């Protein structure tokens, strides 16, 4: 099973959301042909997620700074920003029916643009059920996020 030893050492996990406590965990990375500031701006422009994030059909900011709501594959999620270090790291936690998640992002400048690392921890009865049926589902989600991010920002060498 994938666990904490597979996590990037610079990811900051909130209490209760380490990979060892997950029902689903994955890590993916890619190089995008854009500076970290551009990648960061795209990731934090929540209102535009439906234009490029796979499965997101609605996104709106909340009344409280750092809170937003998304509709992902027709399921509503309330999201709270957990970490926000401009141009280098992001993290948010989400709650939906039967599932809790934390998604972390690291952005590191490299010669051809930005190395983007994303990791997800997913917990709850829905995550446990899906993981039993399709164990690679969390990996596919992160790979899709990165593929779309690369398309939006231009390709560079790298992979999931």
């Amino acid at each position: 099973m994938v666990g904490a030893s597979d996590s990037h050492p610079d990811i900051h996990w909130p209490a209760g959301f380490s990979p060892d406590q997950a029902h689903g965990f994955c890590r993916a990375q890619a190089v995008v042909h854009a500076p970290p500031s551009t990648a960061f701006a795209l990731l934090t422009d929540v209102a535009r997620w439906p234009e490029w994030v796979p499965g997101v059909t609605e996104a709106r900011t909340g009344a409280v700074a750092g809170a937003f709501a998304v509709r992902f594959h027709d399921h509503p999620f309330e999201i709270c920003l957990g970490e926000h270090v401009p141009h280098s790291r992001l993290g948010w936690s989400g709650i939906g029916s039967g599932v809790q998640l934390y998604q972390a992002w690291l952005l590191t400048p490299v010669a051809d643009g930005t190395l983007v690392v994303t990791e997800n921890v997913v917990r709850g009865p829905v995550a446990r059920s899906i993981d039993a049926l399709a164990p690679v589902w969390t990996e596919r989600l992160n790979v899709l996020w990165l593929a779309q991010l690369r398309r939006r920002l231009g390709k560079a060498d790298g992979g999931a």
Side-chain angles (χ1 to χ4, degrees):
M1 177 173 172
V2 178
S5 64
D6 300 301
S7 179
H8 192 285
D10 294 331
I11 297 285
H12 301 157
W13 295 108
F17 281 92
S18 81
D20 287 336
Q21 297 167 311
H23 296 121
F25 168 75
C26 73
R27 176 176 189 234
Q29 67 182 39
V31 172
V32 298
H33 189 63
S37 59
T38 302
F40 191 86
L42 183 59
L43 287 168
T44 57
D45 189 355
V46 175
R48 296 189 71 188
W49 282 8
E51 297 174 16
W52 68 276
V53 176
V56 174
T57 56
E58 181 182 337
R60 57 183 165 72
T61 56
V64 176
F68 51 99
V70 298
R71 185 161 292 277
F72 178 70
H73 290 289
D74 208 31
H75 298 283
F77 283 84
E78 296 296 323
I79 311 289
C80 292
L81 194 60
E83 186 170 29
H84 184 271
V85 179
H87 316 301
S88 64
R89 61 174 58 245
L90 280 168
W92 46 68
S93 59
I95 298 173
S97 182
V99 66
Q100 300 171 325
L101 64 93
Y102 191 83
Q103 185 173 28
W105 296 84
L106 296 175
L107 292 86
T108 306
V110 294
D112 293 334
T114 302
L115 173 63
V116 180
V117 175
T118 184
E119 295 186 9
N120 272 4
V121 165
V122 186
R123 299 179 42 191
V126 170
R128 192 172 25 249
S129 296
I130 293 172
D131 198 46
L133 295 172
V136 296
W137 72 278
T138 52
E139 180 181 342
R140 287 185 183 139
L141 288 176
N142 274 359
V143 168
L144 286 172
W145 266 86
L146 288 173
Q148 288 297 94
L149 186 67
R150 290 178 78 202
R151 280 187 198 103
R152 279 301 260 228
L153 298 175
K155 287 190 174 184
D157 290 337

